[in-house]
Amino acid sequence: MTPPRTQQIPVVVLAGFLGSGKTTLLNHLLRNRAGTRIGVIVNDFGAIEIDAMTVAGQVGSTVSLGNGCLCCAVDASELDTFLETLTRPSARLDLIVIEASGLAEPQELVRMLLASENPHILYGGLVEVVDAAEFDGVRERHPEIDRHLAVADLVVLNKTDRVGEAEQERLRRTVAELSGPAAVISAVHGRVDPELLFDPALRPDGGEKTRQLTFEDLLREEEGDGHDDHAEHLHAAYESVDFTSDVPLDPRRFIAFLDSRPEGLYRIKGFADFGAGDRDNRYALHAVGRFLRFVPQPWARGEQRLTQLVMIGAGIDAEALRNGLTACRAEPTESLDPARTSADGLDTPDAERAMWGVLRYVQQEPEPEDVREEAAAEA
């Protein structure tokens, strides 16, 4: 019997040079987390106590470590240790954010996450925060910002209220050239829609009914339910495109589409049906920036077999994306040997060979003892 798959927690790296507004953006996410349990690791060396104190009251409302605070100042060598702690089932986290030092090399944190053997984490993207008002000066003092932008999955051009429209457009063009395919969105005071970075957690159980009053609750009491007048406008910074198909996708064409996905497309999530390629499973898809992961999941008895995808980005062409995905649908092929032909007309052995490209992005199942340890911890 195949062991149950370990649920993986997305880990988002939040980077940017000193003063860009990382902590402000992080606090905004924590204020507007909509029930999502967020764990935070602060990787800062120059102002550890200040940054930790800034977010501790809010992060402490989600889950507590032994010292009573989830906001932990760590260096890179300690990262795996803290991730192991934060991914314990008892923490019940939905998302982990690593706020990188203003002088850190974010690509090193990303490299460590991608190389981690922790089966409970999933790379959630590198978000680079840029100060629009100080960008030219920062770039002159720290030319390595070009390298940081080149590996970012999402760029937040922050403090755009401090520059004019023409200057903002110039900065967007410059940042877009440096960041390549990354999505670039503008923000004021770090206000980005949390749904751009993570999916709000739904908690049907009663686990959250009896709990301590959180920082988020206190803010709502003080400021009212509409405390953020800009909240309803945040979605304007990005676009969301849905795609549904009752025709299976051709694995080769779909992988080619993903390999050449357009600039500005930040996240893709959903499920893909590959028909004859794997009749037993649908494939959950998680793509952020250049990162791609498939997770096979058995079809439920009687479940309608559909491909259902959501694409999220900035400056994307919705019609072109839908047309590109429509072109990925499998076409029935004739076969001289009826025994080799599947029910939908696809040549089964060829469809299975086409799945090799997909299977490259499927993570290995955790070892059974890992699953047993997790089950014991949840008991």
Side-chain angles (χ1 to χ4, degrees):
M1 180 178 177
T2 302
R5 178 173 293 275
T6 302
Q7 182 175 351
Q8 294 178 303
I9 303 171
V11 181
V12 173
V13 177
L14 183 60
F17 280 86
L18 297 172
S20 61
K22 298 190 302 299
T23 300
T24 302
L25 190 154
L26 175 58
N27 283 330
H28 169 74
L29 294 179
L30 296 170
R31 286 171 181 244
N32 297 276
R33 60 189 178 84
T36 301
R37 297 174 70 92
I38 303 176
V40 175
I41 298 174
V42 174
N43 169 227
D44 208 314
F45 305 102
I48 293 174
E49 294 181 356
I50 295 175
D51 284 348
M53 289 291 289
T54 304
V55 298
Q58 296 177 44
V59 182
S61 69
T62 58
V63 68
S64 177
L65 295 182
N67 61 1
C69 176
L70 188 62
C71 180
C72 312
V74 301
D75 59 32
S77 66
E78 298 174 305
L79 184 58
D80 264 337
T81 301
F82 279 93
L83 287 174
E84 181 64 31
T85 301
L86 299 184
T87 55
R88 289 173 181 166
S90 58
R92 300 177 61 211
L93 291 181
D94 303 301
L95 177 76
I96 296 173
V97 178
I98 301 176
E99 184 186 355
S101 162
L103 299 176
E105 288 290 342
Q107 61 266 41
E108 285 304 306
L109 289 172
V110 172
R111 181 189 61 77
M112 291 182 67
L113 289 174
L114 295 178
S116 174
E117 296 182 357
N118 187 329
H120 308 287
I121 65 170
L122 183 68
Y123 179 57
L126 168 59
V127 179
E128 182 78 17
V129 185
V130 172
D131 183 339
E134 302 294 335
F135 176 73
D136 291 332
V138 170
R139 194 180 181 197
E140 183 176 347
R141 294 190 302 274
H142 301 286
E144 60 269 28
I145 192 174
D146 290 11
R147 185 173 66 252
H148 295 184
L149 288 168
V151 297
D153 300 304
L154 172 69
V155 179
V156 177
L157 187 61
N158 197 27
K159 305 183 183 181
T160 52
D161 56 322
R162 296 177 55 191
V163 299
E165 290 186 12
E167 176 67 359
Q168 184 179 156
E169 183 56 34
R170 180 189 72 82
L171 290 169
R172 284 183 60 87
R173 287 197 303 269
T174 301
V175 168
E177 290 173 1
L178 294 171
S179 59
V184 180
I185 62 171
S186 298
V188 176
H189 302 303
R191 295 191 184 105
V192 300
D193 193 325
E195 292 193 39
L196 179 62
L197 301 178
F198 58 85
D199 300 325
L202 299 177
R203 299 194 179 282
D205 58 38
E208 292 296 303
K209 291 181 180 178
T210 303
R211 57 172 170 75
Q212 193 173 18
L213 195 65
T214 68
F215 192 88
E216 185 181 29
D217 297 328
L218 293 172
L219 282 173
R220 286 176 176 169
E221 285 189 2
E222 292 175 3
E223 303 170 359
D225 290 337
H227 68 269
D228 188 349
D229 295 334
H230 302 274
E232 65 271 26
H233 305 297
L234 294 175
H235 67 277
Y238 70 93
E239 298 139 282
S240 178
V241 180
D242 298 331
F243 175 81
T244 300
S245 173
D246 58 1
V247 177
L249 299 184
D250 178 279
R252 290 192 183 99
R253 287 202 288 270
F254 188 49
I255 289 295
F257 170 85
L258 294 174
D259 286 344
S260 61
R261 49 194 185 270
E263 294 183 2
L265 184 55
Y266 174 57
R267 292 177 66 201
I268 308 177
K269 57 184 181 178
F271 303 94
D273 172 21
F274 293 117
D278 187 344
R279 295 203 172 280
D280 296 328
N281 296 292
R282 66 178 185 175
Y283 282 73
L285 168 63
H286 170 77
V288 56
R290 301 161 182 82
F291 177 81
L292 175 62
R293 174 70 50 79
F294 285 104
V295 179
Q297 300 177 349
W299 289 104
R301 184 184 297 275
E303 180 179 3
Q304 185 179 9
R305 302 201 170 196
L306 297 172
T307 290
Q308 297 176 301
L309 300 172
V310 177
M311 295 159 285
I312 300 171
I316 54 180
D317 186 332
E319 183 178 1
L321 286 173
R322 289 196 182 98
N323 289 341
L325 285 170
T326 299
C328 293
R329 294 188 298 184
E331 298 177 3
T333 58
E334 295 182 358
S335 173
L336 297 177
D337 181 0
R340 296 180 62 221
T341 306
S342 64
D344 57 10
L346 294 174
D347 185 283
T348 303
D350 183 63
E352 291 175 350
R353 284 193 295 271
M355 286 294 293
W356 291 346
V358 173
L359 296 177
R360 288 171 46 216
Y361 297 101
V362 173
Q363 187 179 40
Q364 295 297 314
E365 291 280 356
E367 294 296 324
E369 55 265 25
D370 292 339
V371 177
R372 285 197 295 269
E373 288 176 6
E374 183 181 47
E378 291 178 334

